[in-house]
Amino acid sequence: MSRLPCLSISLLGFLILHVLISGVVSSATVTLLNRCNHTVWPGITSNTAIEVPTTSFRLETGQNTTINVPSSWSGRFHGRTQCVEDSFGNFTCLTGDCGSGKLECTGSRSVAPATLAEFSVDAIGGTDIFDISMVDGYNLPIMIAPIGGLNCSRTECRMDVNGVCPSELKISSDGEGVACVHPCTAFADPQSCCTGTYNSPGQCKASQYTNVFKKACPTAYSYVYDDKASTFQCDAANYLIAFCPTPNESNDTRKSGGVCGTDSVTDPKCLYKPGNNTKASGPGNTKASRSGNTMGLGLKIGIAGGVAVSILFLLLLLFICHRQIKIWHNSTSYPKEVEVFIRKYGPSVPKRFSEGFKINKRKWRGIYE
């Protein structure tokens, strides 16, 4: 057996192993749900070259849309409000505008202020990292709730921050607060933006303004280095992003048919009302939560089993190749008139042998057949 087929088998084994491992590190689905009593146009921006199928769409009250997010994707979601398209086809929004002039954000980031849901899928060893950020300001309440998965926690900003926004940060329309600007955007000074000498966790501190955001939404980012209580992770989960989540909203209602599940999205009591100022609700139904964890555990076991079988298969191929190479080596006749120095005769005394002589390299001896 020649080296080439054996090499081909090894490469095939590595390919199979790669396919099996990469197959279990799969994409996630993200469902965007509008609980607001008005239309929301979600905006989606990628931080990497990996793109998602769409960058925006229209969500009426009670509607939801699910998109596939590729493995290793990093980016953010936000809600746009009071959007219009003029007679020339220019699309603009009062808050959260992408600046693209179109319905699709086409890679353009949101114009502050806008509440952000930030994601890094399969960021560390297959673990997803996510957070809610008000570093770009606030315009809508938002919640991120894992569906299934392991070691998961949800994060949310349910409170109407517009209702408690300081006047120097508030953006109003027709006398009503529609957004709250971050102090960095409002004042553009190094201390508010954590730049210059303030660009470190030790120097960048919360201020009277960022404390307004933090008090309203304790699990969301209120300034750049607000990492400790604001970053969350999950393994092997899909996600629900709800705009204007209600007090009854939970990560289990979509599966368990709870008060505000997708079967009752038009129920008036499931719609957000500005000024609700509700606190985050506690854990959802225990049984449903356990069910989600059980699904995650099964997936983990499946992944581990698939990888183990793949490794065993690859080791078997390498063992077969090793034997074949050894047989090939031992059966190969050296060319005619091979000259070899044999240690026992001294390094200066060559021995010449005819065709059919074979060398045992380990003992440095000539062997006649």
Side-chain angles (χ1 to χ4, degrees):
M1 184 176 184
S2 68
R3 290 182 178 180
L4 185 58
C6 189
L7 179 61
S8 300
I9 291 176
S10 299
L11 291 175
L12 177 62
F14 279 111
L15 179 61
I16 293 173
L17 179 61
H18 171 74
V19 169
L20 287 173
I21 292 178
S22 61
V24 298
V25 183
S26 59
S27 62
T29 63
V30 175
T31 298
L32 293 105
L33 171 65
N34 181 14
R35 292 288 191 205
C36 304
N37 56 5
H38 54 78
T39 305
V40 173
W41 290 262
I44 307 168
T45 306
S46 298
N47 296 335
T48 62
I50 303 172
E51 297 289 344
V52 291
T54 181
T55 58
S56 187
F57 43 87
R58 183 187 180 110
L59 274 183
E60 298 293 348
T61 297
Q63 286 187 335
N64 67 86
T65 296
T66 300
I67 64 171
N68 291 316
V69 177
S71 174
S72 301
W73 180 82
S74 176
R76 54 195 200 169
F77 301 83
H78 72 280
R80 297 180 290 174
T81 64
Q82 300 190 38
C83 301
V84 294
E85 186 175 11
D86 64 20
S87 57
F88 297 99
N90 296 316
F91 187 87
T92 57
C93 302
L94 183 61
T95 71
D97 190 71
C98 291
S100 64
K102 303 175 182 177
L103 172 63
E104 292 278 342
C105 288
T106 59
S108 302
R109 288 181 174 270
S110 60
V111 177
T115 320
L116 306 177
E118 301 178 310
F119 276 86
S120 290
V121 180
D122 298 329
I124 305 173
T127 297
D128 304 332
I129 307 296
F130 58 92
D131 65 78
I132 291 174
S133 174
M134 293 181 290
V135 175
D136 281 6
Y138 170 98
N139 68 331
L140 285 174
I142 196 170
M143 177 185 74
I144 302 174
I147 302 172
L150 277 177
N151 306 315
C152 302
S153 298
R154 74 182 182 196
T155 179
E156 55 200 8
C157 181
R158 294 176 182 268
M159 187 171 179
D160 178 23
V161 178
N162 294 329
V164 296
C165 183
S167 58
E168 54 267 47
L169 303 180
K170 182 178 291 187
I171 294 178
S172 300
S173 176
D174 297 328
E176 180 183 355
V178 294
C180 191
V181 177
H182 192 271
C184 174
T185 305
F187 308 127
D189 64 287
Q191 187 171 3
S192 298
C193 298
C194 296
T195 57
T197 57
Y198 296 94
N199 188 17
S200 69
Q203 297 299 320
C204 180
K205 302 294 185 180
S207 68
Q208 60 174 331
Y209 294 109
T210 60
N211 282 335
V212 172
F213 292 99
K214 199 64 178 178
K215 184 178 179 181
C217 300
T219 63
Y221 270 87
S222 59
Y223 62 98
V224 173
Y225 289 103
D226 189 16
D227 301 83
K228 189 173 181 180
S230 308
T231 305
F232 296 82
Q233 63 183 36
C234 188
D235 296 330
N238 296 314
Y239 297 91
L240 168 68
I241 296 177
F243 298 106
C244 307
T246 67
N248 296 315
E249 199 82 57
S250 80
N251 54 333
D252 305 311
T253 54
R254 295 184 67 252
K255 296 185 296 180
S256 61
V259 174
C260 291
T262 51
D263 293 336
S264 59
V265 291
T266 57
D267 191 326
K269 65 177 173 290
C270 291
L271 301 182
Y272 171 81
K273 296 178 178 58
N276 241 1
N277 294 356
T278 56
K279 295 182 179 180
S281 61
N285 179 276
T286 304
K287 183 177 181 180
S289 298
R290 288 177 181 171
S291 174
N293 286 342
T294 301
M295 292 173 62
L297 180 61
L299 180 59
K300 287 287 186 181
I301 293 174
I303 291 174
V307 172
V309 170
S310 303
I311 292 174
L312 289 174
F313 178 70
L314 180 58
L315 290 175
L316 178 62
L317 287 178
L318 293 175
F319 174 74
I320 294 173
C321 284
H322 175 73
R323 287 183 58 91
Q324 291 296 335
I325 291 173
K326 188 174 181 181
I327 293 172
W328 173 84
H329 177 76
N330 291 335
S331 64
T332 300
S333 296
Y334 284 81
K336 190 175 182 179
E337 297 297 309
V338 176
E339 187 174 53
V340 179
F341 289 93
I342 303 177
R343 183 172 296 174
K344 76 173 184 177
Y345 291 108
S348 62
V349 183
K351 291 289 181 179
R352 303 176 69 84
F353 300 94
S354 61
E355 186 175 2
F357 175 74
K358 296 179 181 176
I359 301 173
N360 186 323
K361 290 184 177 178
R362 181 172 297 179
K363 295 183 179 180
W364 285 77
R365 290 179 180 176
I367 302 174
Y368 288 93
E369 291 187 336

